[in-house]
Amino acid sequence: MKDNHLKILFYILACILLAGMLFVSRDAGISGDEKVHYEHSEKVYDYFMSMGKDQDAINTPETHLQYYGQLPDNIAAFFIHWFEIEDIYGFRHLFSAFLGWLAIFVSALFARWLKGYWTAIITLILFAVSPRFMGHAQNNLKDIPFALAYIAGVFYILKLTYINFKSETFFTIPLLVASIALSIGIRAGGIILLFYLVLAAFLCFMIDLANKKKILWKKLKRTILLVFIISLSSYLVGILLWPYALQNPFVNPWKSAILMTNFTTSIQQLFEGKFFWSEYHPWYYLPKYMLITIPVIVFLGLASFIVFSKKIIEPRLKFIYYFLFFTFLFPVLLVIILGSNLYGAWRHFIFVYPVLVILASVGLYELFLRMNKTMWKAIVVAGLVILVQHPFSFMIKSHPYYYLYYNQFVGGLKGAYGSYETDYYYATLKSGAEWLKTQLKEDDINDRVVVGSNFPVDWYFRDMENIDFVYFRYNERNEKAWDYALIGNSYIDPIHLNNGTFPPEGTIHEILVDEVPVSVVVKKKNNLAAEASGAYDMGDYNTAELLYKKAVVDYQQDEYLYYKLGKCLNLLNQNEDALSYIGQSIAINPTYEPSLFLLGTINKEKGDLVEAKNILKK
């Protein structure tokens, strides 16, 4: 096919992909972080509309969002106000999908620059069958735009390097400034692109010095000036909509970068069938998650790139390919070495994925070129189609919850269930909310209904005035008064996922993906535990004990209720009876920390220090 025809095909496919991504985003659920980021963007909007008088955006002790630039969220908030958009999350999801498409498009242009339009087309295809990336592109206005900024920044740094930092380049420099500004404006870690820019300039100088055996002072001065102008302008533009950074532009962004590198909030994560606190996960947490969730065809492309690397990496392209590899390996190795606090699989590292896809695309194209005979080419194409089928069929069957994808290495989502996190972003609760709304309307229920959840779902019921919402932690679900509940299976002990105690008692509907329940709708059997909790908080432990005993008749798989019963009896100095209920709690969940702690404490009070020590160590 002629190059001109390939160019037309490329742009047609890119437009089709854009239309598809925008369309799919309309079905996206609200993501796990989205509500707090949207609420913070409202504070940022108020900050600027009040000319800095409203200080809520720089006083966020609970969310710590003052340390995030979250530029795309803030831009979305301005558009929402300017155009009086009512479907707030629908607009945010459209915006996210567009930025995700831009990340794909820039990656494809990068691939075309390296190896031509065929490679660019392969890049589009690989992204289109990358469920994790496409899933996050629906509703993640933090990690997806950062991926766009990162790959665009690397692309334009390398383009600038390739032309020896000539300032007369019309498009490259402003696009590079915009890319670095976007990265810094999203999160302080975007400063890494400034480091890459300085590093690229330094390496170019050293290569010139090695080749020409002398310093080209005119070129050196021009390069230093250009790097300084790009760095300063992108830095200042990047913090324009970041209130905290504007308080002290040359100190606060760096403070934020240091704080985010040592993020202290610990979250329990399911990994390899065990619960880990996120700062204590194994060192291979990140690479393992990438290995089992990235489509196998991408790994085949990377393997092909390595096998044919001598042919691919021509002398004139050595610097570009080595630098590209560095931009993937450096951040990944850095967090492994530092033992950084990671959670939510590898969503915080989506920004390196475009680099992998570009290298894989080059590798697949080279693999096809190396097949001299038509028969071998046909075999390669057939093999690629077979590999594409697994992620593509998952996306079709599991629409729109693409980000739950696991590859063949662990037997898909069904094989990963109970061993790795599934709906950690609570996106599937939208399906549960839609089902419950339909049921309530069909049953003609107009009385006041309380819907509980382990994630804020009130937005889904905004058109139903008779619905109230209450939030609960999963283990403490029965301690709150509600009529129906939407429960996502995130942050749930794997014991429940593997022994059949999830879905919980009272489940009336399951949202299944790859034949496993990722979220459920529950109908409350009784609210006795909520009454017991009220009595407990008032110090009326006798009443609380009686109510908890009645509550567990309907909830015999709830370890928390048995724990609270044991706690009531412990506070009433009835430790022998308390031990019986604590034992039932631990029988349901042998790793349940509150029950273990109470058991250890009672043994300590009884003077059995050896047993207490063993239990408390556990």
Side-chain angles (χ1 to χ4, degrees), residues 283-504:
W283 68 267
Y284 55 85
Y285 174 89
L286 175 60
K288 175 78 179 281
Y289 254 121
M290 297 182 80
L291 180 67
I292 62 179
T293 56
I294 291 174
V296 173
I297 191 172
V298 175
F299 291 123
L300 176 63
L302 291 171
S304 300
F305 184 96
I306 294 168
V307 170
F308 301 119
S309 58
K310 288 186 179 179
K311 298 288 185 182
I312 295 171
I313 305 176
E314 305 168 28
R316 66 187 182 88
L317 297 175
K318 272 188 177 180
F319 178 84
I320 290 172
Y321 277 114
Y322 290 159
F323 197 88
L324 193 55
F325 262 111
F326 173 78
T327 60
F328 167 73
L329 289 173
F330 175 71
V332 172
L333 292 176
L334 183 64
V335 298
I336 291 174
I337 292 168
L338 294 177
S340 298
N341 186 358
L342 299 175
Y343 52 89
W346 55 282
R347 70 176 176 85
H348 294 115
F349 275 77
I350 287 175
F351 70 90
V352 300
Y353 187 62
V355 177
L356 286 185
V357 172
I358 291 168
L359 294 173
S361 300
V362 172
L364 290 175
Y365 180 59
E366 194 67 27
L367 173 64
F368 186 76
L369 289 179
R370 295 296 156 193
M371 300 297 106
N372 297 322
K373 295 182 179 180
T374 304
M375 182 186 72
W376 284 111
K377 288 184 185 291
I379 291 172
V380 168
V381 171
L384 297 180
V385 169
I386 291 170
L387 287 178
V388 163
Q389 183 270 337
H390 190 269
F392 183 70
S393 64
F394 178 85
M395 293 169 73
I396 296 296
K397 294 175 184 177
S398 307
H399 172 82
Y401 306 120
Y402 311 148
Y403 91 102
L404 302 178
Y405 177 75
Y406 283 86
N407 63 30
Q408 298 94 314
F409 293 153
V410 287
L413 175 61
K414 190 175 182 180
Y417 189 79
S419 294
Y420 300 94
E421 292 290 347
T422 54
D423 189 16
Y424 58 79
Y425 242 12
Y426 298 101
T428 59
L429 289 177
K430 182 180 182 182
S431 293
E434 290 172 347
W435 183 89
L436 180 57
K437 286 173 68 175
T438 301
Q439 289 299 117
L440 293 175
K441 288 175 182 177
E442 287 180 357
D443 296 339
D444 197 27
I445 297 177
N446 298 309
D447 296 332
R448 183 65 53 188
V449 174
V450 178
V451 175
S453 182
N454 55 344
F455 177 75
V457 294
D458 44 318
W459 177 259
Y460 298 132
F461 297 93
R462 64 191 183 280
D463 58 338
M464 298 181 71
E465 294 182 359
N466 64 318
I467 301 294
D468 291 327
F469 170 74
V470 62
Y471 169 81
F472 53 69
R473 296 190 184 105
Y474 176 72
N475 281 335
E476 300 168 17
R477 61 195 179 278
N478 288 318
E479 288 235 316
K480 295 291 181 71
W482 45 266
D483 302 300
Y484 296 89
L486 303 175
I487 298 175
N489 74 350
S490 188
Y491 310 114
I492 293 177
D493 197 299
I495 286 170
H496 293 300
L497 301 178
N498 291 315
N499 70 3
T501 51
F502 183 90

Side-chain angles (χ1 to χ4, degrees), residues 23 48 98 172 184 194 197 266 283 348 370 376 420 446:
F23 180 76
F48 284 104
F98 175 70
T172 301
I184 294 171
L194 293 180
L197 176 63
S266 188
W283 68 267
H348 294 115
R370 295 296 156 193
W376 284 111
Y420 300 94
N446 298 309

Side-chain angles (χ1 to χ4, degrees), residues 100-134:
W101 176 82
L102 269 183
I104 295 171
F105 187 67
V106 170
S107 300
L109 292 179
F110 198 157
R112 182 204 63 80
W113 184 64
L114 290 171
K115 204 74 176 177
Y117 276 107
W118 266 123
T119 313
I121 290 170
I122 295 170
T123 299
L124 292 179
I125 294 170
L126 289 185
F127 271 109
V129 295
S130 293
R132 289 262 167 169
F133 186 92
M134 297 298 281

